[in-house]
Amino acid sequence: MKINELNIEYGENSYQSAKIEVNDSIIDYEMSGALTFNELKALSKGLDLISEFYDVKAACSLKGNGICAVALGQNLADAIAKIMDVNPIDFMYSIIVVSSEVDSETAKFLKESNIIVAPKFTQNATEILDSHNIRYVTINTPLKDYKNYVPENIKATALGTFVQSPNLSELDKDTFKVISKQKPTVEQIEDAVFAWKVAKYINSQAMVIAKDLKTTAIAQGLQSASIEFAIDYSCDMSKEAILASDMPITVHDIDVAAQGRIALIIVPSADKDIIERADKYSMALIETGITNILF
């Protein structure tokens, strides 16, 4: 189904009308079946995130407009297995967005309640998906070029139309620095970069816990107690893991992270009290110099 054939029955709620305005600046994609307004919104958010990992085997799951889990794997089936392991309940009803071709092994993870989005599908994979009535979306535009299509953020309100440039922030080697006495390992830095990229697309106040290139907890959109929620959800998987925050943290956050045995925290910035507290717990601390706020 080409985009110009798409018909949206209603918007976020059944009493709201909705449409997609087609122009020459959209990516090229095809759908095996009709998607709702909310499914398309979630799909778009998943593509924003997964485009950060276009050159590796990556997968993320979304439910509603929230990101449930993200992982990198040795192959795509491995990445899918990881996000299913982290959040199995939400996985059953989620939209899955991946960075590379879906084969039959990957397709077997999915149920009718899923939607799968990928750059390509093998013939065997589409046969499995069709036989189980699983909707799928093919992204024909290369993911490495995806950010070239990200438009300005526009929100029409009674106050006027808010317009801002898209968030294309990238980590900068000149501002990315270890500011604690404890120095991280190479593997921990890789996890920190991974977690930072995920946190960039989580609704503030964001807390992402990750280990071995897999999220173990995502706290998003909470006005308080974000770190407590993330630590509790991650449970034993927070041991020696990485915590990424999209905004500066407090001394209390450091104390809670220490109770969860977090090994490294990556934040936009940290003052002297935060650094001293991290050093007290022999916790590594990375400063990025970049604040990513998303509401």
Side-chain angles (χ1 to χ4, degrees):
M1 179 183 294
K2 289 287 189 179
I3 180 62
N4 57 7
E5 300 172 354
L6 181 62
N7 179 38
I8 302 179
E9 187 175 355
Y10 56 84
E12 290 180 332
N13 300 289
S14 59
Y15 47 81
Q16 292 176 276
S17 61
K19 64 179 180 179
I20 288 184
E21 296 184 354
V22 179
N23 56 58
D24 295 332
S25 301
I26 65 173
I27 63 171
D28 180 16
Y29 65 100
E30 301 174 60
M31 301 184 298
S32 68
L35 271 67
T36 67
F37 185 86
N38 290 330
E39 288 168 346
L40 287 164
K41 282 181 61 181
L43 187 157
S44 177
K45 187 169 188 175
L47 283 172
D48 289 346
L49 169 57
I50 218 67
S51 67
E52 295 277 353
F53 306 105
Y54 69 86
D55 56 346
V56 292
K57 307 299 182 183
C60 72
S61 57
L62 302 97
K63 189 176 179 183
N65 200 37
I67 296 169
C68 302
V70 188
L72 308 187
Q74 295 181 348
N75 52 56
L76 194 55
D78 180 38
I80 292 279
K82 286 181 177 180
I83 62 172
M84 184 170 64
D85 178 61
V86 168
N87 195 331
I89 301 300
D90 287 332
F91 181 90
M92 294 170 59
Y93 302 95
S94 66
I95 295 175
I96 313 297
V97 184
V98 301
S99 63
S100 60
E101 183 180 58
V102 171
D103 57 16
S104 57
E105 183 180 359
T106 303
K108 291 176 182 177
F109 281 100
L110 307 174
K111 304 297 181 183
E112 186 176 352
S113 54
N114 292 128
I115 298 170
I116 178 75
V117 184
K120 194 175 181 181
F121 296 84
T122 66
Q123 183 176 343
N124 287 341
T126 57
E127 289 173 355
I128 291 172
L129 297 173
D130 288 335
S131 67
H132 289 86
N133 297 316
I134 300 170
R135 289 170 292 167
Y136 53 95
V137 180
T138 306
I139 307 300
N140 297 317
T141 300
L143 282 180
K144 68 178 181 178
D145 299 328
Y146 180 83
K147 288 186 178 181
N148 296 331
Y149 292 84
V150 178
E152 292 180 319
N153 303 142
I154 301 174
K155 184 175 179 60
T157 77
L159 297 175
T161 301
F162 301 161
V163 182
Q164 66 175 348
S165 60
N167 182 356
L168 301 177
S169 61
E170 300 284 352
L171 290 175
D172 186 337
K173 61 181 177 62
D174 293 327
T175 58
F176 183 94
K177 55 187 177 182
V178 178
I179 55 176
S180 57
K181 293 179 181 178
Q182 182 70 30
K183 305 306 176 188
T185 65
V186 172
E187 291 77 14
Q188 287 173 335
I189 291 176
E190 289 176 348
D191 276 338
V193 172
F194 166 76
W196 179 87
K197 288 184 175 183
V198 174
K200 177 179 171 181
Y201 298 96
I202 305 298
N203 291 344
S204 298
Q205 316 277 333
M207 292 283 180
V208 175
I209 298 178
K211 187 177 181 182
D212 299 328
L213 302 177
K214 174 181 71 176
T215 60
T216 62
I218 296 175
Q220 52 194 327
L222 301 177
Q223 296 306 306
S224 61
S226 290
I227 190 164
E228 285 90 346
F229 176 90
I231 291 292
D232 288 347
Y233 188 93
S234 187
C235 198
D236 289 342
M237 291 186 290
S238 66
K239 183 180 179 181
E240 297 301 312
I242 306 306
L243 173 70
S245 173
D246 66 339
M247 300 182 73
I249 58 175
T250 65
V251 169
H252 169 72
D253 293 332
I254 294 282
D255 291 340
V256 175
Q259 292 172 12
R261 296 171 292 178
I262 292 291
L264 183 153
I265 299 180
I266 180 168
V267 290
S269 61
D271 59 27
K272 182 180 178 182
D273 290 343
I274 299 299
I275 299 171
E276 289 178 350
R277 201 64 153 213
D279 288 340
K280 173 185 176 182
Y281 296 117
S282 297
M283 185 183 298
L285 195 61
I286 291 178
E287 185 177 72
T288 66
I290 302 170
T291 299
N292 285 311
I293 299 175
L294 178 62
F295 291 111

